[in-house]
Amino acid sequence: MSPSAVVARASPRMTSLISRRAFHATRARLSSPYHYAEGPYSNLPFNTKTRFFAFRYWAYCVTGFFLPFGIAVWQTKKPKE
């Protein structure tokens, strides 16, 4: 038997096997300890809906950006020993 004939015979069986098993999953149980809330903002470790979130966010960004420059200026102006 030629290789193409073997593939032709096996092809319908493989297709039915793959289509039967593809995308098979069980429904997520909300009582499971391994299932977490889904949706927008659910993967963030902080709450974006608080009153002063924008102020705290920008304060964090400005501090993180300018702190290295402030440290560099302080190190340069420090009296030499």
Side-chain angles (χ1 to χ4, degrees):
M1 199 179 247
S2 69
S4 62
V6 172
V7 171
R9 277 185 57 198
S11 179
R13 280 185 278 164
M14 290 303 289
T15 305
S16 67
L17 180 66
I18 290 171
S19 64
R20 236 183 325 158
R21 297 190 69 212
F23 302 112
H24 176 70
T26 56
R27 194 170 67 98
R29 294 183 192 170
L30 295 178
S31 62
S32 170
Y34 303 108
H35 183 76
Y36 300 101
E38 296 177 359
Y41 305 112
S42 65
N43 60 341
L44 298 176
F46 45 84
N47 186 6
T48 59
K49 309 236 188 266
T50 58
R51 185 174 175 188
F52 295 107
F53 171 73
F55 174 74
R56 283 185 272 171
Y57 171 77
W58 284 109
Y60 179 78
C61 291
V62 167
T63 303
F65 182 78
F66 286 111
L67 188 65
F69 295 105
I71 291 172
V73 167
W74 179 66
Q75 289 289 335
T76 9
K77 301 285 184 182
K78 189 167 63 168
K80 296 182 180 171
E81 295 176 5

